[in-house]
Amino acid sequence: MMQTSIDEAKLHNFVGKMLNDLGGAISVPTVRVGFRLGLFDALAQGPATAADLAQRAGGLHERYVREWAMAQAANGFIDFDPGSGMFSVSPEQAMVFVNPDSPVYLAGAFEMVAAMIEAEPKVEECFRNGKGVRWGDHAGCLFCATGAFFRPGYVNNIVQSWIPAMDGMEAKLRSGAKVADVGCGVGFSTLLMAQAYPESHFTGYDFHEPSIEDARRHAQEHGLSDRVRFEVAAAKDIAEKDFDFITMYDCLHDMGDPKGCAAHMRRILTPGGSWMIVEPIAGDRPEDNLNPVGRLYYNASTMICVPTSLDQEVGEGLGAQAGEARLAAVIANGGFQSVKRVAEGPFNMVLQAR
């Protein structure tokens, strides 16, 4: 093997990066424990010593709580005052760890990471055999984690910016429209739209029956069962037609046959109807996505999106970083005359197909 010289400064910087990255990875289990035991919420009530926090969180064992709190302080996720021995949560930290309606609430992200690790042996085998992993078989509750991960973005964007960016659709929804939310998962997106547009009727479709069961329960809990239905169906198998508006949130790239799906969406839309496709933000060239957001999406895509697509018919395997040009080509292949980006944010882009 040829000897190569080592740039000590580059090595030092790279090891520093790795320590930061491993620190984030190793925080996943302790952060999940903190969410489940209510420790972040308890600390948000005000500064506390480890003993106070243990009591405030329901009488937990102080020694474990002290070590947990020091771990989170070392993470930078909470603050520690060595003079008083008090731990606290800043308003900015609370946006990530306490406020579930914050656009940057990340409890679901930690759950997704755990689910990806749980599914690692299944995905590793796919590297050898070229097959996929059926949605719902990845991990114990990947669909729950996925719903929780996307919910903050939906709460803060669907009604506020994404639908208003769609030409003519907000007025139609306010007067009364027939809407299909395809790939609805546990129904967060469907119910948010139904709450905002009481004159319209919504049907959520997903091929994963446990997700639909959760969605139906959520509809009942919110008193929306009179205007919202949830049905088990793959995108290409939806029999109902004449929808004024079809939405698809973060799922077209997961489908085995996105071109066939696009053609079917065209068939079940009314003339003049619109299809809104929300997808992960991405540039059209792979090198455009070598950034912090692309890093998250490429890793998630390796473990979730590509295996899900390759398990299905056709197995297109678009991946979470397909980019607008490729997505637009898939949609146009389905017979849509117009595909344009109407909105974007740090994590998503919104396309309108007509």
Side-chain angles (χ1 to χ4, degrees), residues 160-183:
Q160 297 89 332
S161 57
W162 293 348
I163 288 177
M166 299 284 292
D167 294 341
M169 281 315 307
E170 187 168 39
K172 180 66 175 174
L173 287 165
R174 293 199 183 284
S175 63
K178 181 180 177 181
V179 183
D181 188 13
V182 180

Side-chain angles (χ1 to χ4, degrees), residues 60-205:
L60 300 177
H61 194 285
E62 185 272 340
R63 182 65 187 89
Y64 280 103
V65 170
R66 175 157 45 101
E67 206 74 359
W68 175 88
M70 288 306 304
Q72 304 322 307
N75 288 334
F77 298 166
I78 66 175
D79 294 328
F80 175 61
D81 179 4
S84 64
M86 304 281 271
F87 299 92
S88 60
V89 175
S90 71
E92 296 77 20
Q93 291 162 341
M95 291 285 284
V96 172
F97 293 107
V98 179
N99 180 3
D101 288 336
S102 158
V104 291
Y105 183 67
L106 292 179
F110 285 90
E111 291 303 313
M112 278 193 68
V113 171
M116 287 163 60
I117 293 170
E118 183 182 341
E120 179 185 319
K122 297 177 181 178
V123 177
E124 181 180 337
E125 186 59 28
C126 293
F127 275 70
R128 298 185 178 94
N129 60 34
K131 297 180 181 178
V133 181
R134 188 170 301 279
W135 181 251
D137 289 349
H138 288 257
C141 197
L142 175 62
F143 70 94
C144 309
T146 302
F149 173 72
F150 284 121
R151 180 186 176 277
Y154 296 165
V155 166
N156 288 277
N157 288 290
I158 288 178
V159 174
Q160 297 89 332
S161 57
W162 293 348
I163 288 177
M166 299 284 292
D167 294 341
M169 281 315 307
E170 187 168 39
K172 180 66 175 174
L173 287 165
R174 293 199 183 284
S175 63
K178 181 180 177 181
V179 183
D181 188 13
V182 180
C184 65
V186 296
F188 290 144
S189 53
T190 323
L191 297 176
L192 285 166
M193 292 188 292
Q195 288 172 326
Y197 305 108
E199 299 303 316
S200 293
H201 288 74
F202 298 82
T203 305
Y205 295 97

